[in-house]
Amino acid sequence: MANSVFNLQPGTLENDLIKITPLTESDFERLYQVASDPLIWEQHPQKDRYKKEVFQLFFHGAVSSKSSFLVFEKSTNKLIGSTRYYDYDPLRSKIAIGFTFLAREYWGGQYNKAMKMLLLDYAFQNVESVRFHIGATNIRSQKAILKIGAKKISEMNLDLNGIKLLHFEYEIKRQDWQNNK
């Protein structure tokens, strides 16, 4: 069953491909170097997140959440992106994973899956359900999340800096994850 205390920003989690470590305030410049590629954000609802002042807002939210991570390619220790847990609801035994981005050279391969596996394995020690909220125009992320076994459960408008944008909600349940791993 779930643990009574869920540490939303544990120390290092790693597997053969990926290492994730807690994000800190001092990580801005090096993470922005990854995020400054406009093509990373072309399908994202906030297409201008590559701009430093826009990314600064995203980064501040990530640090403030105390549940965000840097993502590294394990073999080279190269910083390749970021992700976070959010919307933790202990009463309903659920959490969301999102705000994820990876450098383009790590798209379409095993890196996103390896990262999600680390996050899901850790989360399922504490919750029964993990949710993902993906922008309606972000086809790449929708396909990626379906590949790891998520199911679309709803559509919703999420507030992004005062603008309501259509997102799709996906879910993986602990039992399904354990049965399909």
Side-chain angles (χ1 to χ4, degrees):
M1 208 57 212
N3 295 333
S4 58
V5 177
F6 185 4
N7 178 0
L8 297 177
Q9 198 178 40
T12 301
L13 299 174
E14 59 187 289
N15 56 28
D16 291 345
L17 287 178
I18 295 292
K19 176 176 71 171
I20 63 175
T21 63
L23 178 75
T24 67
E25 190 72 46
S26 64
D27 295 319
F28 178 79
E29 287 300 330
R30 66 183 183 155
L31 188 57
Y32 178 67
Q33 289 302 310
V34 178
S36 63
D37 177 356
L39 294 178
I40 288 175
W41 308 105
E42 73 178 343
Q43 290 187 16
H44 190 273
Q46 192 170 25
K47 295 179 184 342
D48 63 349
R49 194 171 280 164
Y50 67 91
K51 295 178 182 175
K52 199 167 199 170
E53 66 277 7
V54 177
F55 186 74
Q56 180 67 55
L57 293 171
F58 170 86
F59 184 83
H60 176 72
V63 171
S64 298
S65 76
K66 296 184 176 21
S67 60
S68 296
F69 303 92
L70 296 174
V71 180
F72 296 90
E73 179 184 33
K74 186 175 178 182
S75 66
T76 63
N77 207 37
K78 178 182 178 185
L79 178 60
I80 64 170
S82 180
T83 191
R84 89 172 84 151
Y85 289 120
Y86 66 100
D87 283 353
Y88 176 48
D89 184 343
L91 296 177
R92 294 167 73 194
S93 193
K94 69 178 185 167
I95 196 164
I97 296 172
F99 297 92
T100 303
F101 69 91
L102 294 174
R104 283 188 294 138
E105 58 265 34
Y106 297 93
W107 290 358
Q110 296 298 310
Y111 292 92
N112 185 56
K113 181 179 180 182
M115 174 186 53
K116 293 294 193 309
M117 287 182 75
L118 285 173
L119 294 166
L120 286 162
D121 284 345
Y122 180 74
F124 284 133
Q125 295 172 34
N126 300 279
V127 296
E128 295 292 327
S129 168
V130 175
R131 308 285 173 95
F132 304 86
H133 303 107
I134 300 173
T137 60
N138 194 339
I139 305 303
R140 183 173 31 258
S141 291
Q142 292 170 36
K143 287 180 178 178
I145 205 67
L146 290 170
K147 284 181 187 176
I148 63 168
K151 294 179 175 71
K152 184 178 173 187
I153 59 170
S154 70
E155 297 183 8
M156 60 185 47
N157 285 308
L158 295 179
D159 189 297
L160 191 62
N161 298 326
I163 300 169
K164 298 281 188 193
L165 296 168
L166 180 61
H167 282 70
F168 300 152
E169 183 175 38
Y170 294 83
E171 176 183 51
I172 299 176
K173 293 184 178 179
R174 180 192 295 170
Q175 191 63 45
D176 294 335
W177 180 248
Q178 292 170 339
N179 291 339
N180 295 324
K181 256 177 49 167

